[in-house]
Short mmCIF file of all heavy atoms in Angstrom, two decimals:
data_model
loop_
_atom_site.label_atom_id
_atom_site.label_comp_id
_atom_site.label_asym_id
_atom_site.label_seq_id
_atom_site.Cartn_x
_atom_site.Cartn_y
_atom_site.Cartn_z
N LEU A 1 -15.87 9.39 -2.19
CA LEU A 1 -15.93 10.52 -3.10
C LEU A 1 -14.83 10.48 -4.16
O LEU A 1 -14.88 11.22 -5.14
CB LEU A 1 -15.85 11.84 -2.32
CG LEU A 1 -17.05 12.15 -1.42
CD1 LEU A 1 -16.81 13.45 -0.65
CD2 LEU A 1 -18.34 12.24 -2.24
N ASN A 2 -13.84 9.62 -3.92
CA ASN A 2 -12.75 9.45 -4.88
C ASN A 2 -12.65 7.99 -5.31
O ASN A 2 -11.57 7.42 -5.42
CB ASN A 2 -11.42 9.91 -4.27
CG ASN A 2 -11.40 11.40 -4.00
OD1 ASN A 2 -11.05 12.19 -4.85
ND2 ASN A 2 -11.77 11.78 -2.78
N LEU A 3 -13.81 7.41 -5.59
CA LEU A 3 -13.89 5.99 -5.93
C LEU A 3 -12.95 5.64 -7.08
O LEU A 3 -12.87 6.37 -8.09
CB LEU A 3 -15.33 5.65 -6.31
CG LEU A 3 -15.67 4.16 -6.44
CD1 LEU A 3 -15.52 3.47 -5.09
CD2 LEU A 3 -17.08 3.98 -6.98
N ASN A 4 -12.23 4.52 -6.89
CA ASN A 4 -11.29 3.99 -7.89
C ASN A 4 -10.06 4.88 -8.11
O ASN A 4 -9.30 4.65 -9.05
CB ASN A 4 -11.99 3.75 -9.24
CG ASN A 4 -13.11 2.73 -9.12
OD1 ASN A 4 -12.98 1.75 -8.42
ND2 ASN A 4 -14.22 2.98 -9.80
N LYS A 5 -9.88 5.88 -7.25
CA LYS A 5 -8.71 6.74 -7.34
C LYS A 5 -7.83 6.54 -6.11
O LYS A 5 -8.33 6.34 -5.01
CB LYS A 5 -9.12 8.21 -7.42
CG LYS A 5 -9.94 8.57 -8.66
CD LYS A 5 -10.34 10.04 -8.62
CE LYS A 5 -11.18 10.42 -9.82
NZ LYS A 5 -11.62 11.84 -9.75
N THR A 6 -6.53 6.61 -6.30
CA THR A 6 -5.60 6.46 -5.18
C THR A 6 -5.51 7.75 -4.38
O THR A 6 -5.29 8.82 -4.96
CB THR A 6 -4.20 6.06 -5.68
OG1 THR A 6 -4.29 4.83 -6.39
CG2 THR A 6 -3.23 5.91 -4.51
N ILE A 7 -5.69 7.64 -3.07
CA ILE A 7 -5.58 8.79 -2.18
C ILE A 7 -4.29 8.65 -1.39
O ILE A 7 -4.05 7.63 -0.75
CB ILE A 7 -6.78 8.86 -1.21
CG1 ILE A 7 -8.08 8.92 -1.99
CG2 ILE A 7 -6.66 10.07 -0.30
CD1 ILE A 7 -9.31 8.82 -1.13
N SER A 8 -3.46 9.65 -1.43
CA SER A 8 -2.17 9.58 -0.74
C SER A 8 -2.34 9.57 0.77
O SER A 8 -3.34 10.05 1.30
CB SER A 8 -1.29 10.76 -1.14
OG SER A 8 -1.81 11.97 -0.61
N LYS A 9 -1.35 9.03 1.45
CA LYS A 9 -1.35 9.03 2.91
C LYS A 9 -1.36 10.45 3.44
O LYS A 9 -2.03 10.76 4.43
CB LYS A 9 -0.14 8.28 3.45
CG LYS A 9 -0.18 6.78 3.23
CD LYS A 9 0.98 6.09 3.92
CE LYS A 9 0.88 4.58 3.80
NZ LYS A 9 1.96 3.88 4.54
N GLU A 10 -0.63 11.34 2.76
CA GLU A 10 -0.57 12.72 3.20
C GLU A 10 -1.95 13.39 3.15
O GLU A 10 -2.33 14.12 4.07
CB GLU A 10 0.41 13.51 2.31
CG GLU A 10 1.87 13.13 2.48
CD GLU A 10 2.21 11.80 1.83
OE1 GLU A 10 1.42 11.33 0.96
OE2 GLU A 10 3.25 11.22 2.17
N ARG A 11 -2.69 13.12 2.10
CA ARG A 11 -4.03 13.72 1.98
C ARG A 11 -4.96 13.16 3.04
O ARG A 11 -5.76 13.90 3.63
CB ARG A 11 -4.60 13.45 0.59
CG ARG A 11 -5.94 14.15 0.35
CD ARG A 11 -6.44 13.90 -1.05
NE ARG A 11 -7.77 14.48 -1.23
CZ ARG A 11 -8.53 14.26 -2.28
NH1 ARG A 11 -8.09 13.48 -3.27
NH2 ARG A 11 -9.73 14.81 -2.38
N LEU A 12 -4.88 11.86 3.29
CA LEU A 12 -5.71 11.26 4.34
C LEU A 12 -5.41 11.86 5.69
O LEU A 12 -6.31 12.23 6.45
CB LEU A 12 -5.48 9.75 4.38
CG LEU A 12 -6.25 8.90 3.35
CD1 LEU A 12 -5.68 7.49 3.30
CD2 LEU A 12 -7.73 8.86 3.70
N MET A 13 -4.12 11.99 6.01
CA MET A 13 -3.74 12.53 7.32
C MET A 13 -4.16 13.98 7.46
O MET A 13 -4.60 14.41 8.53
CB MET A 13 -2.22 12.37 7.52
CG MET A 13 -1.81 10.93 7.74
SD MET A 13 -0.08 10.72 8.25
CE MET A 13 0.78 11.08 6.73
N GLN A 14 -4.07 14.75 6.39
CA GLN A 14 -4.47 16.16 6.44
C GLN A 14 -5.97 16.28 6.68
O GLN A 14 -6.43 17.16 7.42
CB GLN A 14 -4.09 16.86 5.13
CG GLN A 14 -4.47 18.35 5.10
CD GLN A 14 -3.81 19.13 6.22
OE1 GLN A 14 -2.67 18.86 6.59
NE2 GLN A 14 -4.51 20.11 6.77
N ASN A 15 -6.75 15.40 6.08
CA ASN A 15 -8.20 15.43 6.26
C ASN A 15 -8.62 14.96 7.64
O ASN A 15 -9.57 15.48 8.22
CB ASN A 15 -8.89 14.57 5.20
CG ASN A 15 -9.13 15.32 3.91
OD1 ASN A 15 -10.20 15.86 3.69
ND2 ASN A 15 -8.12 15.36 3.06
N ILE A 16 -7.91 13.98 8.17
CA ILE A 16 -8.27 13.44 9.49
C ILE A 16 -7.84 14.38 10.60
O ILE A 16 -8.63 14.72 11.48
CB ILE A 16 -7.64 12.05 9.69
CG1 ILE A 16 -8.19 11.05 8.66
CG2 ILE A 16 -7.93 11.53 11.10
CD1 ILE A 16 -7.42 9.76 8.61
N TRP A 17 -6.56 14.78 10.59
CA TRP A 17 -6.03 15.63 11.66
C TRP A 17 -5.72 17.00 11.08
O TRP A 17 -4.57 17.30 10.75
CB TRP A 17 -4.80 14.98 12.28
CG TRP A 17 -5.15 13.71 12.95
CD1 TRP A 17 -5.87 13.53 14.09
CD2 TRP A 17 -4.83 12.38 12.49
NE1 TRP A 17 -6.02 12.20 14.37
CE2 TRP A 17 -5.40 11.47 13.42
CE3 TRP A 17 -4.13 11.89 11.41
CZ2 TRP A 17 -5.27 10.08 13.28
CZ3 TRP A 17 -4.01 10.52 11.26
CH2 TRP A 17 -4.58 9.63 12.19
N GLN A 18 -6.74 17.82 10.97
CA GLN A 18 -6.62 19.10 10.29
C GLN A 18 -5.61 20.03 10.96
O GLN A 18 -4.99 20.86 10.31
CB GLN A 18 -7.99 19.79 10.23
CG GLN A 18 -8.99 19.01 9.39
CD GLN A 18 -10.37 19.63 9.42
OE1 GLN A 18 -10.54 20.79 9.79
NE2 GLN A 18 -11.36 18.86 9.05
N GLY A 19 -5.46 19.88 12.27
CA GLY A 19 -4.52 20.75 12.97
C GLY A 19 -3.07 20.34 12.81
O GLY A 19 -2.16 21.08 13.16
N GLY A 20 -2.85 19.13 12.26
CA GLY A 20 -1.49 18.67 12.04
C GLY A 20 -0.74 18.36 13.33
O GLY A 20 0.48 18.31 13.36
N LEU A 21 -1.48 18.13 14.42
CA LEU A 21 -0.83 17.93 15.71
C LEU A 21 -0.63 16.47 16.09
O LEU A 21 0.04 16.15 17.03
CB LEU A 21 -1.65 18.63 16.81
CG LEU A 21 -1.77 20.14 16.63
CD1 LEU A 21 -2.83 20.70 17.59
CD2 LEU A 21 -0.43 20.80 16.88
N PHE A 22 -1.27 15.59 15.34
CA PHE A 22 -1.16 14.17 15.68
C PHE A 22 -1.09 13.39 14.38
O PHE A 22 -1.99 12.66 14.02
CB PHE A 22 -2.35 13.72 16.53
CG PHE A 22 -2.23 12.31 17.03
CD1 PHE A 22 -1.18 11.93 17.82
CD2 PHE A 22 -3.18 11.37 16.70
CE1 PHE A 22 -1.06 10.64 18.29
CE2 PHE A 22 -3.08 10.06 17.16
CZ PHE A 22 -2.02 9.70 17.96
N ILE A 23 -0.03 13.63 13.64
CA ILE A 23 0.07 13.04 12.31
C ILE A 23 1.26 12.10 12.26
O ILE A 23 2.40 12.53 12.24
CB ILE A 23 0.21 14.13 11.23
CG1 ILE A 23 -0.99 15.07 11.26
CG2 ILE A 23 0.36 13.51 9.85
CD1 ILE A 23 -0.89 16.22 10.28
N THR A 24 1.00 10.82 12.27
CA THR A 24 2.04 9.82 12.08
C THR A 24 1.47 8.73 11.17
O THR A 24 0.28 8.44 11.20
CB THR A 24 2.48 9.17 13.40
OG1 THR A 24 1.40 8.39 13.92
CG2 THR A 24 2.88 10.22 14.43
N GLU A 25 2.33 8.14 10.38
CA GLU A 25 1.86 7.05 9.51
C GLU A 25 1.39 5.87 10.33
O GLU A 25 0.49 5.14 9.93
CB GLU A 25 2.98 6.63 8.55
CG GLU A 25 3.18 7.58 7.39
CD GLU A 25 3.92 6.93 6.24
OE1 GLU A 25 3.98 5.69 6.18
OE2 GLU A 25 4.43 7.69 5.39
N ASN A 26 2.00 5.68 11.50
CA ASN A 26 1.60 4.57 12.36
C ASN A 26 0.14 4.73 12.78
O ASN A 26 -0.65 3.79 12.73
CB ASN A 26 2.49 4.52 13.60
CG ASN A 26 2.43 3.16 14.28
OD1 ASN A 26 2.04 2.17 13.67
ND2 ASN A 26 2.80 3.12 15.54
N ALA A 27 -0.23 5.96 13.19
CA ALA A 27 -1.62 6.22 13.59
C ALA A 27 -2.57 6.02 12.41
O ALA A 27 -3.66 5.46 12.56
CB ALA A 27 -1.74 7.65 14.12
N LEU A 28 -2.17 6.48 11.23
CA LEU A 28 -2.99 6.30 10.05
C LEU A 28 -3.18 4.83 9.72
O LEU A 28 -4.30 4.38 9.42
CB LEU A 28 -2.35 7.01 8.85
CG LEU A 28 -3.08 6.85 7.51
CD1 LEU A 28 -4.45 7.50 7.56
CD2 LEU A 28 -2.25 7.43 6.38
N ASN A 29 -2.09 4.05 9.80
CA ASN A 29 -2.17 2.63 9.50
C ASN A 29 -3.10 1.90 10.44
O ASN A 29 -3.85 0.99 10.03
CB ASN A 29 -0.77 2.00 9.54
CG ASN A 29 0.12 2.51 8.44
OD1 ASN A 29 -0.36 2.99 7.41
ND2 ASN A 29 1.43 2.44 8.64
N VAL A 30 -3.08 2.27 11.73
CA VAL A 30 -3.97 1.63 12.70
C VAL A 30 -5.42 1.95 12.37
O VAL A 30 -6.29 1.07 12.41
CB VAL A 30 -3.63 2.08 14.14
CG1 VAL A 30 -4.68 1.58 15.12
CG2 VAL A 30 -2.26 1.56 14.55
N ASN A 31 -5.69 3.22 12.04
CA ASN A 31 -7.05 3.61 11.68
C ASN A 31 -7.54 2.87 10.45
O ASN A 31 -8.69 2.42 10.39
CB ASN A 31 -7.12 5.12 11.43
CG ASN A 31 -7.39 5.90 12.70
OD1 ASN A 31 -8.50 5.89 13.22
ND2 ASN A 31 -6.38 6.56 13.21
N LEU A 32 -6.69 2.74 9.44
CA LEU A 32 -7.08 2.06 8.22
C LEU A 32 -7.28 0.56 8.45
O LEU A 32 -8.17 -0.05 7.86
CB LEU A 32 -6.04 2.30 7.13
CG LEU A 32 -6.22 3.63 6.40
CD1 LEU A 32 -4.94 4.09 5.75
CD2 LEU A 32 -7.34 3.52 5.38
N SER A 33 -6.47 -0.01 9.31
CA SER A 33 -6.64 -1.42 9.65
C SER A 33 -7.98 -1.65 10.34
O SER A 33 -8.70 -2.62 10.05
CB SER A 33 -5.49 -1.89 10.56
OG SER A 33 -5.69 -3.22 10.97
N ARG A 34 -8.34 -0.72 11.23
CA ARG A 34 -9.62 -0.81 11.93
C ARG A 34 -10.78 -0.63 10.96
O ARG A 34 -11.79 -1.35 11.02
CB ARG A 34 -9.67 0.25 13.02
CG ARG A 34 -10.80 0.10 14.02
CD ARG A 34 -10.67 1.14 15.12
NE ARG A 34 -10.78 2.49 14.57
CZ ARG A 34 -10.51 3.59 15.26
NH1 ARG A 34 -10.04 3.50 16.50
NH2 ARG A 34 -10.65 4.79 14.72
N LEU A 35 -10.64 0.31 10.03
CA LEU A 35 -11.67 0.53 9.02
C LEU A 35 -11.81 -0.70 8.13
O LEU A 35 -12.92 -1.14 7.81
CB LEU A 35 -11.33 1.75 8.16
CG LEU A 35 -12.27 2.03 6.97
CD1 LEU A 35 -13.69 2.29 7.46
CD2 LEU A 35 -11.75 3.21 6.15
N ARG A 36 -10.69 -1.27 7.72
CA ARG A 36 -10.72 -2.45 6.86
C ARG A 36 -11.49 -3.60 7.52
O ARG A 36 -12.27 -4.30 6.87
CB ARG A 36 -9.29 -2.89 6.53
CG ARG A 36 -9.21 -3.83 5.32
CD ARG A 36 -7.78 -4.33 5.15
NE ARG A 36 -6.83 -3.27 4.92
CZ ARG A 36 -6.55 -2.77 3.71
NH1 ARG A 36 -7.18 -3.21 2.65
NH2 ARG A 36 -5.65 -1.81 3.59
N ASN A 37 -11.28 -3.79 8.82
CA ASN A 37 -12.00 -4.85 9.54
C ASN A 37 -13.51 -4.59 9.55
O ASN A 37 -14.31 -5.52 9.43
CB ASN A 37 -11.48 -4.96 10.98
CG ASN A 37 -10.08 -5.55 11.05
OD1 ASN A 37 -9.67 -6.29 10.16
ND2 ASN A 37 -9.34 -5.22 12.09
N LYS A 38 -13.90 -3.33 9.71
CA LYS A 38 -15.32 -3.00 9.70
C LYS A 38 -15.93 -3.16 8.30
O LYS A 38 -17.10 -3.52 8.17
CB LYS A 38 -15.55 -1.58 10.22
CG LYS A 38 -15.28 -1.44 11.71
CD LYS A 38 -15.71 -0.09 12.25
CE LYS A 38 -15.50 -0.01 13.75
NZ LYS A 38 -15.92 1.30 14.31
#
C-alpha cells in the first residue's frame, strides 16, 4: 500500500504489535528476514 515509499521501523512495529507489548527491533528484523526469504 506504500509502494516505493520508505516505511519506518517504528511504523512497522506499531502495525504488527498494536498493543506495544512485544516490540523490539530484533523481533522485527527476524520477521523481515523471514518475509524476504519468502
Side-chain angles (χ1 to χ4, degrees):
L1 293 177
N2 294 273
L3 191 65
N4 299 321
K5 297 178 181 177
T6 300
I7 303 173
S8 69
K9 290 186 175 184
E10 291 75 17
R11 185 178 175 190
L12 278 167
M13 289 190 287
Q14 180 59 36
N15 275 265
I16 297 168
W17 296 289
Q18 296 175 17
L21 298 169
F22 186 59
I23 300 176
T24 67
E25 282 200 18
N26 199 21
L28 177 65
N29 293 338
V30 172
N31 272 288
L32 277 158
S33 176
R34 193 175 63 191
L35 175 61
R36 197 186 299 274
N37 289 334
K38 290 189 177 181

